[in-house]
Amino acid sequence: MSSTFDQTKISSELREGAALPVPTIRPRRLRRTAAMRRLTAEHRVSASDLVQPIFVVPGEGVERDIASMPEIKQFSVDRAVGEARACAALGIPAVILFGIPPEKDDEASWLARPDGPVQRAIRAIKFALPELLVIADLCGCEYTSHGHCGLLTPDGEIDNDRSVALLARGALSYAECGVDIVAPSDMMDGRVAAMRTALDRAGHADVAIMSYAVKYASAFYGPFREAAGSTPAFGDRRTHQMDPPNAREAVKEALLDVAEGADIVLVKPALSYLDVVVRVRRAVNVPVAVYNVSGEYSMIKAAAARGWIDEDRAVDELIVSCKRAGAGIIITYFAKSIAARLAKAQR
Ligand code: PBG
C-alpha cells in the first residue's frame, strides 16, 4: 500500500524541528543544576523529623544482631543509653523504645513492672540525656506468652476492656520513670481516653500521647516480630488492626483518638499507606507521624546488599515521600544513618 504522505519530506522537517510548536513554558529550567533543584525543593528532610527505634533486652553489655534487620540491634539498658547518645549527637530529637521482657506470660505481667526493660531504659536515658525525648511503645504483644496485643478471654478472644486497663497501668509505670511520650500501638478501642484519664489523675498531665491511631494489619511487620519475639502463637491481628482496603475508616480512627486526647496521631506502615497519611493530615490539626516499619527497612537492606538498588538514594526518596504526604514525624530504622549522612553533607 502506498502512503498518501511524503515520508521523506516529513522526517526531514522533523529533524530540523521546523513546523513544530515551541514550548514557552519549560519546567526543566528549575531542574537544571543541583543548586536550582535545592532552591526549589518543596520538602526537605532534616534530623529533626526523625525518630530512631531502640529494642531493649534484659542483661548487661548486650548488643545482639537481628538477622532480618541488618545493622539494627537489641540492646541491654546500659548499651541502649549509648545508642540513644549516638542519636542525640546526630541531632535526632527522639527515640522510641520497645522492650523484650525476661519472661512472658498470659497476663503480660512484665508490662507494668518498675524493673521492666523499658522502665529501666527510660530512667537511664532520661538521666544521661535529659533533653532527648523518650517515647515508649505501649502494647501487650512483647509481654504476652501468646503474642497477642492484649489479654484474652477464657475462650481465646482479645478482651478489649481488660486490655485497656493493662495498657493504662503500663502508661502510668512509664510516666513514673519519666517518659515524655507514650505510644499505644495495640489498637484496642478506647485506650487513649483511658490512658489520658489515668495519667492526669496520677499527676502526669505533661506526658504526651502519640497514638498509633491508624495501624493496619500488615505483612510488613514480619522482621519486627523477630526483633521483639512477638509473633502471635495462634491467629493474627486482624480483629484489632485495620483492614488494608479501608481509608475512610482511617480518618474515623484518627478523629476518634484526637477526641480522646491523643496529642499526635500515627499512621503505620508508611509506604503502602501514604494516601492515608494525606487524608489524615487533612482531617486533623495535631501532628501526624508515620512509621516506616521493619519490613520496609528489610526490603531495602536486602535489595541493596545484592546491589539491586542504591540504598541511600532509595532511602532519601522514601523518607521525602513521607514528608510530601504530610507526615511531620517519621519513625524509621534508617534515622541514624540518614542523620549521619545529613551531618556529613553539612561539613
Ligand atoms: C506492637 C508493634 C508492632 C510494631 C510496632 N509496635 C508489631 C505488630 O503490630 O505486630 C511493628 C513495627 C515494625 O514492623 O517496625 N507492639
Side-chain angles (χ1 to χ4, degrees), residues 55 66 68-69 74 98 100 104 139 141-142 146-149 185 215-238 240-241 268-269 291 293-295 298 333:
F55 295 104
I66 299 161
S68 54
M69 300 181 72
Q74 296 176 328
F98 296 91
I100 295 98
K104 301 177 188 243
C139 187
C141 70
E142 296 106 288
H146 43 72
H148 281 292
C149 302
S185 64
K215 178 173 179 181
Y216 286 91
S218 170
F220 293 102
Y221 307 147
F224 173 96
R225 292 180 187 171
E226 182 202 335
S230 63
T231 307
F234 59 91
D236 54 38
R237 307 214 199 291
R238 287 175 217 252
H240 49 288
Q241 298 180 347
K268 173 185 171 184
Y291 198 140
V293 300
S294 58
S298 301
Y333 300 95

Side-chain angles (χ1 to χ4, degrees), residues 216-287:
Y216 286 91
S218 170
F220 293 102
Y221 307 147
F224 173 96
R225 292 180 187 171
E226 182 202 335
S230 63
T231 307
F234 59 91
D236 54 38
R237 307 214 199 291
R238 287 175 217 252
T239 68
H240 49 288
Q241 298 180 347
M242 280 186 53
D243 206 15
N246 297 356
R248 273 196 303 272
E249 190 186 5
V251 171
K252 169 182 165 184
E253 284 279 10
L255 291 175
L256 198 54
D257 280 10
V258 171
E260 287 184 30
D263 300 286
I264 300 170
V265 291
L266 184 147
V267 175
K268 173 185 171 184
L271 299 189
S272 305
Y273 299 93
L274 293 182
D275 60 317
V276 174
V277 174
V278 173
R279 291 184 197 224
V280 169
R281 175 64 288 163
R282 284 196 193 124
V284 302
N285 58 6
V286 299

Side-chain angles (χ1 to χ4, degrees), residues 84-147:
R85 182 171 285 117
C87 293
L90 289 167
I92 294 171
V95 294
I96 181 165
L97 304 180
F98 296 91
I100 295 98
E103 285 151 26
K104 301 177 188 243
D105 59 34
D106 283 357
E107 294 295 303
S109 307
W110 274 90
L111 177 65
R113 276 177 66 145
D115 54 345
V118 170
Q119 285 83 351
R120 290 177 48 229
I122 296 167
R123 284 195 298 266
I125 296 171
K126 287 309 290 185
F127 181 77
L129 305 155
E131 268 151 47
L132 181 71
L133 290 173
V134 174
I135 308 174
D137 182 271
L138 183 53
C139 187
C141 70
E142 296 106 288
Y143 298 89
T144 52
S145 40
H146 43 72

